[in-house]
């Protein structure tokens, strides 16, 4: 087997399957393991206990999938439209802001399917080989592996960056094939710190250092309990995730729109009002968001997030009526955030 030829072919097959970039990395993540241990020691992972439980497996691919020699890292773009500035995107405070990656179909399903097709194509050439594909679904250091595979470099916001921006998903294939390694890319962030300066909750505490407990994406998606009161106002109308650090990044000015129909906006999530979404019943939530990554947070946390958004929205009869309608909601979590929102508008619950 000529592994140099196979490595080149894998990249070509990946592009044919819709990946914008494919690279190959080794499994030595010893340097990253130390950085992960530091973050865990500081408690920056918040309630994401799985980060600590599987810390060793994250840094040792060959223990997660025995026999792994190489990791094939794949990038798929998801930007469906040309974004504006942070101010323009968030100007309509009565509108709900949903992170761009979550406006279309669940990326886990899309990436897993394509990664498996790439595995099948490799097997046609090599015969059966040991492998396992991951799409943000296991203890895998996607960003670290992608950087080692030459897909991009880690930005100061801790996301992977490339000259074509950062609006993309990452997926990995662990395999036992001795493929030819790619070289890492040079970091091109320079002295720019726009992502650090724009963060509404100051979650990026220093270049390349993120305290997830303050991150809006963590607070609106991973965090299960009440959102800390001091962080509710800075969240604004961001009800699922946050794109501020990407919107402000100069490299994203070169980002191209995705050709993937699965990542096009569904349910009008690029323009829906807070009042409109807050009025959804649980049955409507389940039905409308079937096949969406948003559905995994559940209806209760969806209402919690929207209540915070409504508390930060301009006062209007519709906003007040919407909040009062759920003031006696069965969920204590929802009631607490509705009460806070009504107080923001000068009213008692």
């Amino acid at each position: 087997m000529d592994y140099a030829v196979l490595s080149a072919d894998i990249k070509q097959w990946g592009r044919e399957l819709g990946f914008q970039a494919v690279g190959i990395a080794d499994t030595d993540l010893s340097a990253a393991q130390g950085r992960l241990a530091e973050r865990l020691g500081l408690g920056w992972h918040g309630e994401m206990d799985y980060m600590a439980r599987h810390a060793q497996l994250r840094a040792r691919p060959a223990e997660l999938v025995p026999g792994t020699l190489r990791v094939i890292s794949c990038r798929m773009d998801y930007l469906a439209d040309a974004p504006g500035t942070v101010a323009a995107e968030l100007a309509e405070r009565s509108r709900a802001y949903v992170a761009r990656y979550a406006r279309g179909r669940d990326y886990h399903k899309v990436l897993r399917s394509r990664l498996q097709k790439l595995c099948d194509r490799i097997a046609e050439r090599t015969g059966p080989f040991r492998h396992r594909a991951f799409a943000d679904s296991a203890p895998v250091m996607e960003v670290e592996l992608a950087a080692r595979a030459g897909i991009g470099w880690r930005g100061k916001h801790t996301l992977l960056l490339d000259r074509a921006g950062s609006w993309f998903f990452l997926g990995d294939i662990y395999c036992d094939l001795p493929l030819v390694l790619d070289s890492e890319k040079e970091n091109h962030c320079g002295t720019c710190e726009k992502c650090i300066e724009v963060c509404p909750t100051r979650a990026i505490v220093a270049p390349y250092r993120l305290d997830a407990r303050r991150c809006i994406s963590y607070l609106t998606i991973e965090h299960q309990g009440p959102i800390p009161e001091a962080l509710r106002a800075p969240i604004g109308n961001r009800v699922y995730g946050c794109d501020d650090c990407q919107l402000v990044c100069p490299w994203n000015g070169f980002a191209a729109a995705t050709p993937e129909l699965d990542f096009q906006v569904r349910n009008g999530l690029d323009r829906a009002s807070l009042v409109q979404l807050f009025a959804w019943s649980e049955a409507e939530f389940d039905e409308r968001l079937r096949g969406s990554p948003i559905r995994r947070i559940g209806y209760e946390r969806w209402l919690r997030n929207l209540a915070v958004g409504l508390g930060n929205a301009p006062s209007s009869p519709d906003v007040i009526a919407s909040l009062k309608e759920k003031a006696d909601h069965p969920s204590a979590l929802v009631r607490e955030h509705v009460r806070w929102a009504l107080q923001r508008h000068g009213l008692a619950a």
Side-chain angles (χ1 to χ4, degrees):
M1 178 69 66
D2 187 331
Y3 286 103
V5 171
L6 178 60
S7 300
D9 287 344
I10 288 172
K11 295 171 187 177
Q12 177 60 35
W13 299 333
R15 287 190 290 270
E16 291 170 1
L17 286 168
F19 293 109
Q20 278 66 48
V22 178
I24 298 165
D26 63 17
T27 61
D28 181 9
L29 300 176
S30 53
Q33 185 173 11
R35 294 192 292 272
L36 174 60
E38 180 196 14
R39 292 197 298 274
L40 293 172
L42 291 167
W44 286 357
H45 59 301
E47 294 178 353
M48 295 183 288
D49 295 335
Y50 57 86
M51 296 284 292
R53 276 199 310 273
H54 304 301
Q56 182 168 303
L57 285 178
R58 285 181 185 279
R60 301 179 183 180
E63 291 187 17
L64 180 62
V65 180
T68 298
L69 295 176
R70 298 288 187 265
V71 177
I72 304 169
S73 179
C74 303
R75 161 194 150 197
M76 183 176 286
D77 296 351
Y78 65 78
L79 186 64
D81 61 352
T85 63
V86 173
E89 289 285 320
L90 300 169
E92 294 182 48
R93 292 188 297 132
S94 61
R95 191 186 78 183
Y97 188 87
V98 173
R100 275 180 158 71
Y101 85 86
R103 295 177 182 179
R105 187 184 178 211
D106 190 341
Y107 65 96
H108 298 88
K109 298 177 181 179
V110 179
L111 259 68
R112 270 198 298 266
S113 172
R114 302 295 177 83
L115 290 169
Q116 188 55 55
K117 288 179 180 177
L118 181 55
C119 292
D120 295 342
R121 185 67 185 85
I122 295 169
E124 289 177 8
R125 170 73 61 84
T126 65
F129 70 105
R130 180 172 293 180
H131 66 276
R132 187 173 168 188
F134 301 101
D136 195 19
S137 57
V140 173
M141 288 186 169
E142 294 94 348
V143 173
E144 190 70 26
L145 288 166
R148 293 185 68 83
I151 301 294
W153 69 90
R154 188 183 289 272
K156 292 177 183 178
H157 46 23
T158 74
L159 302 175
L160 195 75
L161 259 178
D162 179 65
R163 289 179 180 272
S166 59
W167 303 106
F168 50 76
F169 300 121
L170 295 170
D172 298 285
I173 298 170
Y174 283 21
C175 70
D176 64 352
L177 302 171
L179 303 169
V180 177
L181 299 174
D182 286 302
S183 300
E184 295 187 40
K185 284 187 176 179
E186 182 182 351
N187 187 307
H188 292 285
C189 285
T191 60
C192 178
E193 294 192 344
K194 289 180 182 291
C195 58
I196 298 174
E197 295 161 359
V198 79
C199 181
T201 54
R202 299 294 178 260
I204 309 172
V205 298
Y208 315 106
R209 294 167 68 82
L210 176 77
D211 184 346
R213 297 170 300 180
R214 300 186 63 85
C215 177
I216 292 175
S217 288
Y218 167 81
L219 292 169
T220 57
I221 301 172
E222 301 293 342
H223 184 61
Q224 297 184 26
I227 293 173
E229 195 162 332
L231 298 177
R232 294 177 191 176
I235 286 176
N237 57 341
R238 303 167 186 85
V239 301
Y240 190 92
C242 178
D243 287 332
D244 289 25
C245 61
Q246 297 193 84
L247 289 167
V248 77
C249 178
W251 287 113
N252 273 324
F254 301 97
T258 179
E260 293 295 331
L261 295 178
D262 281 322
F263 299 147
Q264 299 305 309
V265 179
R266 298 182 174 190
N267 292 298
L269 290 177
D270 58 339
R271 59 182 183 278
S273 74
L274 292 161
V275 169
Q276 175 188 348
L277 298 180
F278 203 54
W280 284 1
S281 67
E282 187 166 7
E284 285 178 297
F285 171 83
D286 285 335
E287 179 58 32
R288 290 174 182 267
L289 297 180
R290 192 177 304 279
S292 163
I294 300 174
R295 194 165 178 258
R296 78 180 184 89
I297 69 169
Y299 184 59
E300 184 183 34
R301 280 190 274 166
W302 175 245
L303 292 181
R304 175 200 63 183
N305 297 347
L306 286 161
V308 171
L310 286 164
N312 293 321
S315 288
S316 73
D318 285 346
V319 167
I320 301 302
S322 180
L323 287 166
K324 284 185 173 181
E325 186 178 330
K326 288 189 171 58
D328 296 319
H329 193 275
S331 164
L333 182 68
V334 174
R335 291 197 307 272
E336 175 188 340
H337 290 76
V338 167
R339 182 168 57 249
W340 173 86
L342 286 169
Q343 290 170 350
R344 292 271 291 176
H345 292 286
L347 298 169

